[in-house]
Amino acid sequence: MEFNYQKKKTYTEYWNNFFDKPKKMSSIKNLFKRLKINLYKFIGFKISVRIIKNTIQKDEAYLSYPTENFVKKNRNQHIVKEIHSFLSKSNLQYNKAKLEEYVEEFDEVFIQSPVKEHESGFGYNEGVFFYSILRIINPELVIESGVMKGFTTYLIDAATNNDCKILSYDINFDNKVFNSKKAQYINSDITTKIPAIKNKKVVALWDDHTSQLDRLKFSQEHHIKFNFFDDDLSFLNIHSDGWPPIPTISMLKDIKNNDTQLDEINWVSRNRKGTAYLKNLREVDCLNKIKFHKTFPQLFKITGYKNHSQCSLVINKMTS
């Protein structure tokens, strides 16, 4: 993926986007711009002025929550049923009583999170699914591609035992809040520094806004059986993401399951027009190597919190 900062344009072989209308400059910014020009004329050097608006707030789940044990127990039982239903065709083996323990554990883990703002990633709903499934799989190695503030790193750290290794890849760690002692932080894309994976029980979390088709191919090539794909949006809701990982797994299934002969599909996201190129995506054989694919359900009616993103679990067919 490439990004042109002058044109504000993202383009790959799979998709493209651009602003339809230039952003209007606020009156305050205009004032400072004129001030900077006049100061440069009179004193001969430039002055940089930055206005930083503090918009970081705690996630709603830290501010609004049930306090009655009866209500929390009832909520957790409903969450367990949702996870059990979600995994019913996955062939993952687990004890239901243990699953109840994992959901209860998560509540405490979530409250103690050092990352309290979740606008750009997992929230409570995605977190309880991710944490519980990690506990079930009990991996030896977790690969995380896309770290941001480190909330998912925190969940991985809490859900895995001390022998589990964590490899956290990102091209920019400036926003990182949580640092895991178990994690090795790698400042590059995973394709430039491929880890030793063979003969290990590996889980990968792909949350890097990079083509999920490419990440799926990587996971199958390197025998990664368990994969979480965040922002796994379909054609129906792709417009909700300003920088989606096109093509997503759900989009690939959309193409496979529909008879449309369109060569491209268009949408508008935050006044930016997007175009996905479908012509070369119809004959994708890697979908046939998937054993299980399902997106996390909406849990608002149970938790009172809206889902932050659309994450899916992909289990690949493993070949020797």
Side-chain angles (χ1 to χ4, degrees), residues 122-185:
F122 278 17
Y124 187 97
N125 294 351
E126 297 83 8
V128 69
F129 262 73
F130 182 61
Y131 178 89
S132 301
I133 296 171
L134 273 180
R135 293 284 277 135
I136 290 169
I137 297 171
N138 190 25
E140 299 170 84
L141 170 66
V142 178
I143 295 169
E144 179 187 27
S145 184
V147 174
M148 196 55 179
K149 294 186 178 181
F151 178 63
T152 49
T153 317
Y154 169 72
L155 294 183
I156 295 165
D157 185 292
T160 56
N161 60 46
N162 291 332
D163 295 327
C164 179
K165 294 182 179 180
I166 304 170
L167 299 179
S168 296
Y169 289 82
D170 209 311
I171 58 173
N172 185 348
F173 288 111
D174 290 348
N175 296 305
K176 183 157 58 74
V177 174
F178 172 76
N179 287 285
S180 169
K181 293 180 179 178
K182 290 160 61 173
Q184 178 184 351
Y185 291 96

Side-chain angles (χ1 to χ4, degrees), residues 92 137 201-204 224-228 313-316:
L92 278 174
I137 297 171
K201 188 189 289 186
V202 185
V203 170
I224 303 174
K225 184 175 183 179
F226 303 104
N227 297 267
F228 292 90
L313 171 64
V314 168
I315 302 177
N316 286 318

Side-chain angles (χ1 to χ4, degrees), residues 181-192:
K181 293 180 179 178
K182 290 160 61 173
Q184 178 184 351
Y185 291 96
I186 305 163
N187 189 200
S188 70
D189 188 83
I190 192 171
T191 55
T192 63

Side-chain angles (χ1 to χ4, degrees), residues 40-197:
Y40 179 70
K41 287 179 180 179
F42 286 108
I43 62 179
F45 58 88
K46 293 182 179 180
I47 295 176
S48 179
V49 180
R50 292 181 66 195
I51 300 173
I52 300 174
K53 185 180 179 182
N54 184 12
T55 57
I56 297 176
Q57 298 179 353
K58 283 187 178 181
D59 188 77
E60 180 67 20
Y62 298 105
L63 304 172
S64 307
Y65 45 84
T67 57
E68 291 290 339
N69 287 332
F70 166 78
V71 176
K72 289 193 284 187
K73 185 175 180 180
N74 193 265
R75 175 202 62 192
N76 290 349
Q77 288 173 347
H78 282 291
I79 292 173
V80 167
K81 288 179 182 178
E82 289 288 341
I83 297 173
H84 183 65
S85 175
F86 178 86
L87 295 176
S88 61
K89 295 183 180 179
S90 69
N91 291 329
L92 278 174
Q93 302 298 314
Y94 58 92
N95 182 290
K96 197 170 181 181
K98 280 289 184 182
L99 180 56
E100 291 176 4
E101 287 181 22
Y102 301 155
V103 172
E104 289 178 9
E105 285 175 10
F106 172 78
D107 209 37
E108 189 65 28
V109 167
F110 183 83
I111 290 297
Q112 295 179 4
S113 170
V115 183
K116 301 293 187 185
E117 190 273 321
H118 303 302
E119 187 63 30
S120 58
F122 278 17
Y124 187 97
N125 294 351
E126 297 83 8
V128 69
F129 262 73
F130 182 61
Y131 178 89
S132 301
I133 296 171
L134 273 180
R135 293 284 277 135
I136 290 169
I137 297 171
N138 190 25
E140 299 170 84
L141 170 66
V142 178
I143 295 169
E144 179 187 27
S145 184
V147 174
M148 196 55 179
K149 294 186 178 181
F151 178 63
T152 49
T153 317
Y154 169 72
L155 294 183
I156 295 165
D157 185 292
T160 56
N161 60 46
N162 291 332
D163 295 327
C164 179
K165 294 182 179 180
I166 304 170
L167 299 179
S168 296
Y169 289 82
D170 209 311
I171 58 173
N172 185 348
F173 288 111
D174 290 348
N175 296 305
K176 183 157 58 74
V177 174
F178 172 76
N179 287 285
S180 169
K181 293 180 179 178
K182 290 160 61 173
Q184 178 184 351
Y185 291 96
I186 305 163
N187 189 200
S188 70
D189 188 83
I190 192 171
T191 55
T192 63
K193 291 188 178 181
I194 299 173
I197 296 172

